[in-house]
Amino acid sequence: MDNQLWAIAIKKSESQSQLYQATATSCALQTQFELPAAKLRVGTMDSLMSLGDDLTKIDMVAEATAFKLFKTVDDMKKESGGKGEEPKINGVPIPNVVKDWEWDEAKFQLKTPLRELVESIAGRIAGLEEELRTKMAELSAIKAAVTQFERKTQGNLMVRGLDDIVTEEDILETEYMCTIFVVVPRNSYKEFHENYMKMADYVVPLTAKIISEDSEFGLFTVVTFKKSAEQFKTSCREKRYTVREFTFNEAKIESDGKEKDEKIAEYQRLKGLLTSWCTINFAEAFGMTLHLKAIRIFVESCMRYGLSLQSREPNFKAFLLQPKKGKAESLRRDLAKIYTTSSLLDQDDDAAMVPGASGEFYPYVYVPITIDPGSNDGDAACLRSCRALSPAAMAMPLGLGYATYCLERRSLSGHRCA
């Protein structure tokens, strides 16, 4: 929770200086969250309530998609040997991005009904997620092909491919003679040299030659007459030597090498394109997420505080707070002291829960903004608290689908998710 920003809203009549003074010791950041509240369309109470039911889910999906884009870039950097970095947009840390955020009216007209705005953003987010899925599938297919080539050169001599080890000079193939490849344990070299010429009727003397070895085995070639080849192979198996069937095909080796180089080049190309695409669209998705956060604050504040009698404008003001490390609970208590009614004052957090309400209820509007996806372990915490409630929850995988499912479970009295 230390790696979240808290967007909160209070009545316009509440004192800003009182808020700042009360939270000074527990906050690393205190600033106003500038919303175009006077320009957004309020609509009816029914429309606000209907939208409020959907906004939390859409907000969660948008935030998860945005950070999925960031994590994709971060994972590719780590794969290339780089280090993970904190999320930034155009080099600016996320807290600063949120602090300096402004409504983008060029993309989201303030005169548009809230439901249309939300559905427009949700549609764009869904499009980004679908496109990311398609691009990742394409990259994974190429990576699987590259991995398949790499596996041929991995492992010990018992299992790895021989194309890059055996050369044409290592093979003698005539009408009557052939070359057999035998993998021998290193501790059996002496035994093999002493016995290989006796392991079949027609073994060409002094033809055993080691062409490669690793920490466990050596790869030998032995020339035999073709009519004794199977006899020699049977003797090898009896002595626990491994015969590797291999046919040298120069054209195929060259073709495979060329194909591998092409796949690696294509993988690097797609990886570079995906990195650029994700970097650009992380900024886009996070910006849309902040618009959803703003709409969510607006909707919940209008439902809670209504409109000002004089100006007929929404009767709230919004702030951004960032808890200091380890001070999240202290900040929660500081806020409770200011805004909780006297009957609830000094009670623990559970007293601020409303049975049957959707999620946690505080004496102020509260919307969390994740600034570090590595700290967002909400699904895991939610699973732990859901286990006692529903057998269905036990079977749900962690991830976006589970988080959405859990939001539905929150409506149950007594159910509280992290």
Side-chain angles (χ1 to χ4, degrees):
M1 193 174 291
D2 301 332
N3 289 316
Q4 285 184 335
L5 286 173
W6 295 7
I8 71 165
I10 57 177
K11 273 188 177 182
K12 271 187 178 179
S13 58
E14 298 286 357
S15 168
Q16 176 176 329
S17 60
Q18 181 188 26
L19 169 65
Y20 284 4
Q21 288 171 11
T23 60
T25 59
S26 53
C27 266
L29 171 68
Q30 300 168 311
T31 187
Q32 282 193 290
F33 193 19
E34 299 293 342
L35 306 181
K39 296 181 180 180
L40 287 169
R41 295 178 61 175
V42 177
T44 65
M45 180 59 72
D46 284 346
S47 66
L48 290 176
M49 291 179 67
S50 172
L51 183 57
D53 290 340
D54 297 333
L55 260 174
T56 304
K57 302 173 191 176
I58 296 171
D59 176 21
M60 180 179 287
V61 171
E63 193 169 67
T65 300
F67 282 112
K68 192 185 297 182
L69 291 164
F70 166 75
K71 191 174 185 301
T72 299
V73 175
D74 202 45
D75 288 346
M76 287 190 289
K77 285 181 180 179
K78 291 176 182 177
E79 182 185 295
S80 301
K83 293 183 179 180
E85 298 179 358
E86 65 172 340
K88 292 182 179 180
I89 294 177
N90 298 324
V92 180
I94 292 296
N96 292 349
V97 172
V98 179
K99 185 175 66 173
D100 298 333
W101 174 83
E102 293 180 352
W103 186 278
D104 189 346
E105 192 168 4
K107 293 180 180 177
F108 308 108
Q109 294 291 319
L110 291 167
K111 295 181 180 179
T112 305
L114 293 179
R115 170 66 69 176
E116 289 184 26
L117 279 175
V118 170
E119 289 178 353
S120 171
I121 294 172
R124 296 188 191 193
I125 290 291
L128 287 177
E129 186 173 21
E130 182 61 32
E131 191 170 354
L132 175 62
R133 189 180 296 114
T134 301
K135 291 179 181 294
M136 286 297 294
E138 184 181 8
L139 186 68
S140 295
I142 296 294
K143 185 176 181 179
V146 172
T147 301
Q148 190 64 31
F149 280 112
E150 290 176 344
R151 281 177 181 166
K152 294 180 181 180
T153 62
Q154 295 173 351
N156 59 38
L157 290 167
M158 295 275 284
V159 296
R160 63 157 293 158
L162 303 181
D163 287 348
D164 61 330
I165 294 177
V166 179
T167 64
E168 192 171 7
E169 288 73 25
D170 296 322
I171 299 175
L172 176 62
E173 193 76 26
T174 68
E175 183 179 355
Y176 299 105
M177 290 185 285
C178 63
T179 300
I180 297 174
F181 297 89
V182 186
V183 177
V184 180
R186 291 176 70 98
N187 58 10
S188 300
Y189 284 2
K190 183 178 179 182
E191 178 189 358
F192 179 75
H193 277 291
E194 290 174 351
N195 295 302
Y196 80 91
M197 288 185 289
K198 307 171 189 176
M199 290 167 60
D201 293 337
Y202 298 98
V203 177
V204 179
L206 305 178
T207 54
K209 180 178 71 171
I210 187 168
I211 60 173
S212 181
E213 60 183 339
D214 56 30
S215 60
E216 301 176 86
F217 304 99
L219 178 65
F220 288 82
T221 57
V222 176
V223 179
T224 72
F225 280 77
K226 289 183 177 179
K227 61 182 179 179
S228 292
E230 288 305 316
Q231 182 186 9
F232 184 83
K233 292 177 182 179
T234 300
S235 296
C236 284
R237 286 189 283 269
E238 290 173 353
K239 292 181 177 295
R240 298 179 182 266
Y241 306 145
T242 300
V243 176
R244 297 292 309 271
E245 300 293 345
F246 178 77
T247 301
F248 183 82
N249 185 329
E250 187 173 8
K252 183 177 183 304
I253 292 172
E254 289 180 0
S255 174
D256 287 350
K258 183 179 179 182
E259 184 180 0
K260 177 183 176 181
D261 291 341
E262 289 174 351
K263 294 291 185 185
I264 291 174
E266 178 67 3
Y267 176 71
Q268 293 300 330
R269 185 185 74 84
L270 290 177
K271 186 176 173 181
L273 290 174
L274 182 59
T275 298
S276 299
W277 184 86
C278 285
T279 300
I280 293 169
N281 285 288
F282 169 56
E284 183 73 12
F286 191 77
M288 288 190 284
T289 299
L290 291 182
H291 283 76
L292 285 174
K293 302 282 187 188
I295 295 173
R296 187 175 163 190
I297 293 169
F298 177 83
V299 169
E300 294 184 18
S301 298
C302 286
M303 287 193 292
R304 184 176 299 197
Y305 303 124
L307 304 180
S308 171
L309 293 176
Q310 290 80 20
S311 63
R312 304 305 296 168
E313 293 180 355
N315 185 29
F316 74 92
K317 48 190 174 184
F319 298 89
L320 286 173
L321 306 176
Q322 184 178 12
K324 290 181 180 178
K325 187 173 180 60
K327 292 285 189 178
E329 292 303 319
S330 297
L331 176 56
R332 191 71 76 191
R333 286 193 294 270
D334 291 340
L335 291 170
K337 288 176 183 177
I338 311 173
Y339 303 117
T340 304
T341 60
S342 58
S343 62
L344 293 178
L345 196 61
D346 297 328
Q347 297 184 25
D348 60 20
D349 283 348
D350 289 330
M353 297 294 297
V354 176
S358 177
E360 295 168 318
F361 181 89
Y362 299 106
Y364 46 87
V365 172
Y366 163 71
V367 175
I369 303 174
T370 301
I371 58 176
D372 181 359
S375 68
N376 191 8
D377 194 27
D379 283 353
C382 197
L383 178 61
R384 289 192 290 273
S385 50
C386 276
R387 285 176 180 268
L389 284 175
S390 169
M394 295 286 287
M396 288 297 292
L398 290 180
L400 197 56
Y402 180 79
T404 303
Y405 171 86
C406 192
L407 282 170
E408 300 295 340
R409 299 291 299 169
R410 288 186 179 191
S411 63
L412 293 176
S413 177
H415 175 57
R416 182 178 184 184
C417 299

